[in-house]
């Protein structure tokens, strides 16, 4: 088979390979503690499920508009206007089959081959993959450990801007690090985007997965709404990862281009699910609140155990359901040179399954600290205690 040459520049989410490894061990009878994938073992709120069933029974089973149904576009525009403090209308919303499609469609709509795109690394691996697949140049910016959380390296980001830089990808409330920009950092990012005329993808997958305080969007800063596309997703807030529903929210011209890509790619997003999403946005909110309560207890449990382990250091992020913990001490103690070797050994010896640094973009030159990523979205508190207990025993043995 001669596959297209173009495919060599397409990356993947290598975390799925970790799932396969864990599944292979499980098939041999090993107990697995699944901390690797950001999937959720929490069920979607009942009112949302009921609304989907009702819509299906009401015959919402045919195609719908490529932009999504008007009622959902309007409901989402109202919701995002409220949470962001800037006004969006229905024309600013194109419904998508998940949050992820906004990444490639934003790039296809705004990037020309050879354009440079700034993206976070460590970060969600699909940015690097999609930028390069569409002929762009992926230019990483990074984070370093600060006092209470990881901090954006803004000087480094600014120094990477060239006349060819066209797009900036920002994933505030960040996967894998749980990092969050301060107001000053957001203001500086906005200033840079405006000064250098950059279009911005605000990946807000975790905007509502927040335990304290209020999320703030870069898109809501003065001068930013007209140059930003928000990646919205129903996946996390409503525990709907497998339903596949999200949206692109941004300036009408880009939304029109993205909706044209919808026609070419999937015609429309799943029709009846869109009625369920309206119920999610406008109905009883006890479901999302319960989800946040469950996740917060898991975070607190995991952070406490990790910080009790010799050679491990972990922040307690206010948002996301990830912990990117420093394992440099533990790694050296166990005689490994990189976190991927430690990850593999831990999985084999204890069944505890994490992701490693390398699953979040190509490691950058000069990295001296080593990290593993733990997702607590798919594992209950008692299993977190048991699994991290095994991990502690392994590291400290
Ligand atoms: N963006 C980030 C940063 C993510 O972590 C994820 C999923 O893990 C997504 C986007 C896409 O999620 P979905 O397509 O389920 O909305």
């Amino acid at each position: 088979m001669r596959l297209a040459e173009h495919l060599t520049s397409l990356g993947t989410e290598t975390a799925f390979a970790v799932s396969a490894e864990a599944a292979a061990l499980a098939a041999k009878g090993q107990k697995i503690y699944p901390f690797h994938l950001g999937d959720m073992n929490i069920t979607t709120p009942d009112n949302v499920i009921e609304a989907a069933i009702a819509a299906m029974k009401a015959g919402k089973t045919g195609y719908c508009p490529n932009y999504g149904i008007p009622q959902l576009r309007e409901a989402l525009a109202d919701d995002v206007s409220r949470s962001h403090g800037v006004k969006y209308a229905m024309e600013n919303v194109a419904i998508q089959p998940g949050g992820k499609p906004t990444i490639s469609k934003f790039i296809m709509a705004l990037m020309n081959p050879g354009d440079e795109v700034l993206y976070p690394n460590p970060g969600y691996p699909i940015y690097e993959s999609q930028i390069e697949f569409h002929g762009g140049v992926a230019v990483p910016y990074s984070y370093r450990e600060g006092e209470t959380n990881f901090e954006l390296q803004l000087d480094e980001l600014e120094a990477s801007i060239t006349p060819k830089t066209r797009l900036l990808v920002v994933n505030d409330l960040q996967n894998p690090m749980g990092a969050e920009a301060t107001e000053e950092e957001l203001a500086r990012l906005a200033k840079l985007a405006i000064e250098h005329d950059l279009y911005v993808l605000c990946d807000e997958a975790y905007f509502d997965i927040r335990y304290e305080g209020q999320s703030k969007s870069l898109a809501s800063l003065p001068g930013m709404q007209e140059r930003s596309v928000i990646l919205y997703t129903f996946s996390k807030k409503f525990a709907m990862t497998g339903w596949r529903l999200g949206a692109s929210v941004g300036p009408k011209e880009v939304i029109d281009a993205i909706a044209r890509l919808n026609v070419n790619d999937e015609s429309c997003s799943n029709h009846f699910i869109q009625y369920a999403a309206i119920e999610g946005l406008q109905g009883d909110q006890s479901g999302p609140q319960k989800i946040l309560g469950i996740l917060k207890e898991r975070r607190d449990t995991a952070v406490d155990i990790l910080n009790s382990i010799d050679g491990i250091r972990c922040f307690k992020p206010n948002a996301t359901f990830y912990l990117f913990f420093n394992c440099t001490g533990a790694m050296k103690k166990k005689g490994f040179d990189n976190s991927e070797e430690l990850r593999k050994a831990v999985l084999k010896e204890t069944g505890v399954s994490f992701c490693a640094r390398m699953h979040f973009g190509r490691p950058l030159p000069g990295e001296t600290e080593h990290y593993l990523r733990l997702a607590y979205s798919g594992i209950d508190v008692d299993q977190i205690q048991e699994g991290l207990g095994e991990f502690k025993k392994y590291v400290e043995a």
Side-chain angles (χ1 to χ4, degrees):
M1 175 73 68
R2 274 196 312 277
L3 295 174
E5 284 164 24
H6 189 41
L7 270 179
T8 55
S9 58
L10 184 66
T12 183
E13 253 185 89
T14 46
F16 283 105
V18 178
S19 293
E21 258 177 71
L25 287 174
K28 286 189 197 152
Q30 179 159 2
K31 170 148 192 187
I32 298 296
Y33 300 92
F35 291 107
H36 51 270
L37 261 194
D39 202 356
M40 302 176 83
N41 69 341
I42 304 171
T43 44
T44 307
D46 277 346
N47 60 323
V48 175
I49 292 176
E50 296 301 336
I53 294 169
M56 237 184 293
K57 288 194 169 158
K60 308 295 184 190
T61 48
Y63 294 122
C64 69
N66 58 315
Y67 282 85
I69 60 171
Q71 302 93 310
L72 177 59
R73 294 172 68 206
E74 215 164 315
L76 195 55
D78 286 350
D79 191 82
V80 177
S81 299
R82 240 190 330 273
S83 60
H84 286 54
V86 281
K87 185 82 196 108
Y88 287 99
M90 187 174 110
E91 65 181 26
N92 302 116
V93 178
I95 301 301
Q96 301 296 329
K100 197 183 243 180
T102 292
I103 299 173
S104 56
K105 289 174 186 170
F106 168 82
I107 287 169
M108 284 190 272
L110 290 164
M111 190 194 77
N112 290 307
D115 285 346
E116 292 177 7
V117 183
L118 292 161
Y119 77 104
N121 182 337
Y124 193 49
I126 297 307
Y127 311 135
E128 203 173 72
S129 167
Q130 287 295 317
I131 296 163
E132 292 179 351
F133 186 60
H134 293 289
V137 181
V139 181
Y141 63 86
S142 68
Y143 294 77
R144 304 242 195 305
E145 281 184 59
E147 288 279 302
T148 57
N149 204 345
F150 290 94
E151 291 173 357
L152 195 53
Q153 295 305 291
L154 271 168
D155 289 341
E156 177 192 296
L157 185 152
E158 183 169 6
S160 303
I161 299 176
T162 75
K164 286 191 162 174
T165 311
R166 178 154 165 89
L167 306 180
L168 167 65
V169 177
V170 174
N171 174 213
D172 198 27
L173 315 182
Q174 208 247 15
N175 178 12
M177 303 177 128
E180 182 178 349
T182 60
E183 298 244 349
E184 295 74 39
E185 287 167 338
L186 285 179
R188 190 165 160 205
L189 276 174
K191 187 164 173 281
L192 287 174
I194 293 165
E195 254 170 39
H196 296 277
D197 194 19
L198 310 179
Y199 290 107
V200 182
L201 172 64
C202 295
D203 182 338
E204 298 185 355
Y206 302 95
F207 196 80
D208 297 300
I209 302 297
R210 159 170 216 110
Y211 310 112
E212 276 143 45
Q214 186 95 46
S215 295
K216 174 127 185 143
S217 171
L218 179 60
S220 66
L221 268 59
M224 289 305 294
Q225 188 181 13
E226 50 270 47
R227 58 179 63 252
S228 304
V229 173
I230 295 170
L231 177 159
Y232 181 94
T233 181
F234 289 88
S235 286
K236 324 284 177 179
K237 178 175 181 183
F238 300 101
M240 289 172 68
T241 51
W243 293 56
R244 310 310 301 136
L245 198 69
S248 313
V249 181
K252 182 179 184 306
E253 294 85 337
V254 190
I255 294 304
D256 289 344
I258 287 178
R260 196 137 54 94
L261 291 164
N262 288 359
V263 178
N264 281 269
D265 282 358
E266 66 276 335
S267 298
C268 62
S269 293
N270 182 304
H271 189 172
F272 52 85
I273 287 174
Q274 297 186 43
Y275 289 89
I278 296 173
E279 172 62 24
L281 292 173
Q282 298 182 339
D284 176 16
Q285 292 303 302
S286 61
Q289 280 160 17
K290 192 167 152 221
I291 293 167
L292 276 184
I294 294 170
L295 291 172
K296 186 167 190 269
E297 190 190 355
R298 293 180 184 180
R299 177 200 64 173
D300 294 346
T301 307
V303 169
D304 285 350
I305 303 176
L306 285 173
N307 279 324
S308 77
I309 303 175
D310 192 22
I312 300 287
R313 189 165 71 227
C314 182
F315 293 126
K316 191 190 268 194
N318 242 334
T320 77
F321 38 59
Y322 302 113
L323 302 172
F324 199 63
F325 61 88
N326 188 314
C327 62
T328 314
M331 202 185 81
K332 300 239 162 90
K333 188 166 160 189
K334 301 304 279 187
F336 297 117
D337 290 333
N338 65 60
S339 61
E340 172 65 357
E341 286 174 13
L342 176 65
R343 178 196 73 74
K344 280 184 183 278
V346 170
L347 175 60
K348 188 158 160 266
E349 299 293 325
T350 68
V352 174
S353 185
F354 298 125
C355 284
R357 157 64 179 109
M358 60 168 270
H359 298 113
F360 301 97
R362 281 187 295 268
L364 306 173
E367 287 183 12
T368 52
E369 298 299 300
H370 299 271
Y371 299 91
L372 291 171
R373 191 204 70 173
L374 177 158
Y376 52 85
S377 49
I379 180 163
D380 294 336
V381 164
D382 64 324
Q383 294 302 292
I384 292 176
Q385 286 166 331
E386 196 176 299
L388 293 185
E390 292 300 313
F391 178 52
K392 182 177 164 82
K393 271 193 254 162
Y394 169 81
V395 171
E396 294 182 349

